Amino acid sequence: MDGNRHSLLGSQTHLALDNSEDMIHSRSESSDSHHSSMSSSNKLATSAEEGLRKEIGLISASSIIVGQVVGSGIFSTPGSVALLCGTPAMALVLWAVSGVVSLGGALGSAELGTMFPQNGGMIRYLAHSYPRPRALVATIMAYSVTFFCRPAAIAANVAVFAQYFFFAAGKHDYIESRDYLLRGIGAVVMTVLLILNIVSVRWSLRLLNVFAAIKMVTLLIVSITGFLLLVGILKRTPGTNWSRGFSGTKFDAQSFASAMTRLFWSWEGWSNVGYVVGEVKNVKRNLPLSLGLAMSTLGVLYLLANVAYFSIIPLEDIDNGTLLAAQFLDRVFGPTMGQKVLPACIGISILGVVMSELFGGGRLMYTAGKTGFVPYGTMLGEIHPRFGTPIYALLIIWALSLVFLFAPPPGQAFDLLVDLVQEGMWYFYALTAFGVIILRRRLPQYPLRRFRSPLILAGLFGGLSFALGVLQFYPPARIPGSSDPKVPYYLAPLLGVIFMVLCGIPWYLRMWRYVNRTGIQLLAWIDNEEQEVLQMTNDQVRHLSA
């Protein structure tokens, strides 16, 4: 958390912390605690009170973003997007459009992060944007992401990273026949990363920086080749990829929806830095700068990578069952780069995603407990006195990830789990983007809003995100050369919506039944945070933004 910040989480939030289900406080005690919190609302909290130290600078914040955004998508997705669009030219246009719109979503998140510079990201943003009825949206998001989406994503990624190393080593039979061996390797590696996350924030950030550097070097190799091809220094393969222009482009809704879903998922991950914003140094500068620089740089590299791919590989030669980047490197540098070096780099890239997900996921669980959304907040919000990390929150994320890693049987069930990870997130992204507009109107002169994002881009990102969530129920276009899906296309989005609806049960039990029974105002911190900031002096605002 912010080491020099105003007591935005005040004693009211600490009241929400101490809420084990067997604790019954009287209404008079709750009232006394409330008055105590208001009387101390003008005191700056020290870092010792929160336990989390500000260790994240501009480079580490950028690494957290790159670590989450760059997985295996850019090395495989361009091929399927081009096949869905019908022409590389239209694919390039859609990559640019989706990148600009995603940048708008990221900058909107930066605005909200400077307004509420504590850990939690979208949980906190949604709570302030939609406080009624009793923070329903934020509560559903808290349970959906902390107990399902985040641990399931970690499990899905850690289960497949070893495949790329076996492929690089020529052990192709291990990929198909040793499913539980791969999961076991994933569990061991995930445990090692967990231990590092627990014992040292500084070394965790250094490892994230290393993973990000490897990803960027891999992307640069492909992208610089694309630039040299673009300016004519390297000769392109004769073909019609660029000369055909937009002739042959598919304009049907199915192809467009399927392509945009893949594209936006390739940009997804920038929100991860919002979960750790309370540990970012000089948040008013480093948060918007890291998001803007990371997303803009990746945008240029992604476009150049597409130029490189389609300047070498004719559209007709794309093998949808093979990584497009592997085909590219095979032709440019030979089979060693395409069949050994690239798979190993992608395996490392996926490990970087897992590391980033663990780092941010622990803070997400920590915030869900600290703010009262989930029970036993005292335990979840505990910071290890020596290591300065949310140890129990990290352990719970790790344990849930293990369940998702080993519980589903091989085949369709595990593939469905992978699909389920993204379902529901589109709606939360949309509501967060719309929250930027809502808070701009409701809190127009908020002192901590030190950065303003383009509202038109935030609105566009919100609208497209919501549309992508709905389009999951629309029959997807079939990619040439791909096999038919083994489960109905609507099953994953349907299960995602059902899960979100079921999250209304703990919302009722927690925010209505528990609050009415004990008199503890779990959500008073939302209004308190806003009112305390509105009453701040200029010096206090400068301290909190530092």
Side-chain angles (χ1 to χ4, degrees):
M1 287 289 180
D2 194 334
N4 296 311
R5 66 182 181 79
H6 192 270
S7 56
L8 292 182
L9 292 180
S11 56
Q12 189 68 39
T13 301
H14 290 291
L15 179 63
L17 256 174
D18 300 322
N19 53 40
S20 300
E21 295 303 314
D22 57 344
M23 294 173 59
I24 306 296
H25 294 269
S26 68
R27 293 185 180 271
S28 61
E29 290 172 331
S30 175
S31 177
D32 291 341
S33 296
H34 175 73
H35 289 301
S36 174
S37 73
M38 294 305 293
S39 65
S40 62
S41 65
N42 291 320
K43 297 178 181 178
L44 293 173
T46 65
S47 59
E49 286 177 307
E50 294 301 335
L52 290 170
R53 296 182 289 270
K54 283 181 172 289
E55 301 274 6
I56 303 173
L58 177 61
I59 293 177
S60 294
S62 301
S63 295
I64 290 172
I65 298 164
V66 172
Q68 187 79 14
V69 174
V70 182
S72 61
I74 187 57
F75 305 112
S76 58
T77 301
S80 61
V81 170
L83 291 171
L84 286 165
C85 293
T87 59
M90 178 54 75
L92 205 60
V93 170
L94 292 185
W95 273 100
V97 170
S98 63
V100 171
V101 174
S102 295
L103 176 62
L107 294 179
S109 178
E111 176 174 333
L112 295 175
T114 59
M115 289 179 67
F116 310 109
Q118 303 94 25
N119 284 356
M122 285 196 292
I123 289 181
R124 192 175 296 275
Y125 308 155
L126 291 172
H128 284 282
S129 301
Y130 311 97
R132 295 181 182 81
R134 299 200 181 187
L136 172 63
V137 175
T139 305
I140 291 177
M141 192 270 179
Y143 280 91
S144 295
V145 177
T146 55
F147 292 100
F148 181 73
C149 291
R150 180 51 62 100
I154 293 172
N157 283 311
V158 82
V160 300
F161 92 92
Q163 292 182 9
Y164 292 94
F165 290 104
F166 281 124
F167 187 91
K171 304 289 186 180
H172 297 182
D173 56 315
Y174 278 62
I175 298 175
E176 297 294 334
S177 61
R178 309 292 180 91
D179 183 84
Y180 279 103
L181 172 64
L182 297 174
R183 298 195 204 191
I185 294 172
V188 172
V189 172
M190 182 174 64
T191 303
V192 172
L193 295 179
L194 168 79
I195 293 171
L196 181 60
N197 267 282
I198 289 176
V199 301
S200 176
V201 173
R202 186 164 298 174
W203 279 102
S204 295
L205 292 173
R206 287 172 178 170
L207 183 59
L208 279 169
N209 293 342
V210 170
F211 282 138
I214 293 173
K215 294 173 188 235
M216 295 301 287
V217 169
T218 306
L219 260 178
L220 278 171
I221 292 173
V222 176
S223 301
I224 290 173
T225 306
F227 176 76
L228 296 177
L229 290 163
L230 188 65
V231 299
I233 296 177
L234 293 180
K235 291 184 178 180
R236 297 184 299 187
T237 300
T240 61
N241 279 352
W242 303 120
S243 62
R244 76 177 68 182
F246 295 95
S247 178
T249 297
K250 300 176 184 177
F251 292 101
D252 61 285
Q254 280 183 308
S255 298
F256 177 78
S258 298
M260 292 303 286
T261 298
R262 286 168 170 78
L263 286 168
F264 273 93
W265 198 245
S266 295
W267 294 108
E268 195 275 338
W270 43 262
S271 61
N272 201 49
V273 73
Y275 301 139
V276 301
V277 71
E279 298 167 67
V280 174
K281 304 173 184 176
N282 193 4
V283 66
K284 70 178 180 181
R285 170 186 177 270
N286 288 336
L287 183 62
L289 196 56
S290 62
L291 282 163
L293 284 177
M295 295 297 288
S296 299
T297 302
L298 289 177
V300 173
L301 294 180
Y302 277 20
L303 290 176
L304 287 175
N306 275 269
V307 171
Y309 295 149
F310 296 116
S311 295
I312 295 295
I313 306 170
L315 188 64
E316 296 77 12
D317 291 352
I318 293 177
D319 180 2
N320 196 50
T322 304
L323 285 173
L324 186 63
Q327 291 179 265
F328 168 79
L329 292 176
D330 273 351
R331 297 192 182 197
V332 176
F333 300 107
T336 298
M337 283 291 290
Q339 303 300 320
K340 295 186 180 299
V341 176
L342 179 67
C345 289
I346 293 176
I348 294 172
S349 179
I350 295 174
L351 272 183
V353 174
V354 173
M355 183 66 181
S356 184
E357 287 173 333
L358 272 174
F359 190 88
R363 274 67 179 175
L364 191 63
M365 181 71 75
Y366 161 86
T367 303
K370 287 275 290 184
T371 51
F373 286 112
V374 299
Y376 306 105
T378 301
M379 179 186 72
L380 292 175
E382 184 170 336
I383 301 300
H384 193 281
R386 177 180 176 185
F387 303 136
T389 55
I391 179 170
Y392 293 113
L394 284 165
L395 284 170
I396 291 174
I397 285 287
W398 169 79
L400 289 171
S401 300
L402 283 179
V403 172
F404 284 113
L405 180 61
F406 288 105
Q412 297 181 18
F414 196 84
D415 293 341
L416 182 62
L417 173 65
V418 175
D419 292 336
L420 276 171
V421 169
Q422 59 183 310
E423 306 302 339
M425 288 303 298
W426 298 120
Y427 304 111
F428 296 129
Y429 281 131
L431 290 169
T432 301
F434 294 144
V436 176
I437 301 172
I438 291 171
L439 290 174
R440 191 78 69 87
R441 291 177 62 88
R442 187 168 67 82
L443 299 171
Q445 303 300 324
Y446 200 68
L448 288 183
R449 186 186 282 112
R450 310 304 292 270
F451 172 80
R452 289 177 178 265
S453 61
L455 286 186
I456 187 170
L457 285 181
L460 187 58
F461 176 79
L464 282 176
S465 295
F466 185 81
L468 287 173
V470 174
L471 286 173
Q472 304 306 304
F473 294 94
Y474 192 72
R478 189 177 185 277
I479 302 174
S482 63
S483 58
D484 293 329
K486 297 177 181 179
V487 296
Y489 68 87
Y490 56 81
L491 184 58
L494 179 61
L495 290 176
V497 170
I498 291 174
F499 184 82
M500 287 193 294
V501 171
L502 291 176
C503 288
I505 298 174
W507 169 73
Y508 167 74
L509 294 175
R510 186 76 180 152
M511 299 304 172
W512 289 90
R513 186 174 179 181
Y514 177 74
V515 167
N516 293 342
R517 178 168 60 89
T518 63
I520 298 175
Q521 300 303 309
L522 295 176
L523 300 175
W525 62 270
I526 299 174
D527 185 62
N528 286 351
E529 279 189 358
E530 296 175 4
Q531 294 304 316
E532 290 169 3
V533 170
L534 290 171
Q535 296 170 18
M536 277 183 174
T537 64
N538 290 334
D539 288 339
Q540 289 174 325
V541 170
R542 282 193 291 269
H543 277 298
L544 187 55
S545 299

